[in-house]
Amino acid sequence: MLNPTAFTAAVLDRILALLAPLFLAATGGDAEAARSAAGALLASYEPRTNRELRFAALAIAFSFGALDALSRSADSALTLNQVLRLRGNANALNRAAQQNESRLEKRSPQPEADAAEAELPASSDIEDLVNFVRPPAASPALSRQQRRFLERKEEKQRQREQETARLEERVARRMAEKAEAAARVAACAGAA
């Protein structure tokens, strides 16, 4: 069970409130049972600080979001594009859940003082949860397409620089050849 003395009461209450809707269907709409189920699942991560509690909550929310997206993708009425989009979303959510679980696994042996905790997300929407997990100073993670675009852009820039260097070398060589030819012509004219 969660140790309420290890967390700020408002943080624990807010996280349980955000996770409870994930369990409402399974508890027949009983909000207190849903909060209890969310608390039990949070306790399985053994969080020791507000920060670890947040990572555990995100791991749970992203995991359930991934399962929900996969479940929805099984609908035979969906187009292939919709199915693929749902499966892609499930994959991204699963990756986010694993990242939060990794953060919990890498936690320090002694709990950190977590006095200045970030504000909680406004809702349990995926966008709010993603923004909640990202540290404010960090740049947003790039998607695979964005990383590939930047790699291509860097490669094109490198190729342009190489081409410019080749052209400058060719121009310098031709100028040197013209200077040599002019010197030979002047030497022949002087000898004659």
Side-chain angles (χ1 to χ4, degrees), residues 22-41:
L22 298 173
F23 300 94
L24 278 176
T27 60
D30 184 357
E32 197 53 44
R35 283 177 64 91
S36 178
L41 193 52

Side-chain angles (χ1 to χ4, degrees), residues 2 6 17 27-28 30-31 36 50-51 53 61 68 102 110 117 121 124 140 142-143 154 168-169 171 176 179 186 191:
L2 287 172
T27 60
D30 184 357
S36 178
N50 286 340
R51 186 170 192 254
L53 183 68
D68 181 53
S102 294
Q110 298 187 9
E117 194 60 41
S124 59
L142 299 176
S143 68
E154 290 170 3
E168 289 173 355
E169 181 183 329
V171 167

Side-chain angles (χ1 to χ4, degrees), residues 5-6 15 47 62 65 82 90 96 114 133 142 165 168 170 184:
T5 60
I15 286 177
F62 288 139
Q82 291 170 321
D114 223 0
V133 73
L142 299 176
E168 289 173 355
R170 193 178 303 158
R184 275 189 256 136

Side-chain angles (χ1 to χ4, degrees), residues 48-49 51-52 103-113:
R48 299 174 297 193
T49 63
R51 186 170 192 254
E52 289 177 4
R103 288 179 177 149
L104 285 170
E105 290 170 5
K106 293 177 184 176
R107 63 183 155 197
S108 61
Q110 298 187 9
E112 302 171 4

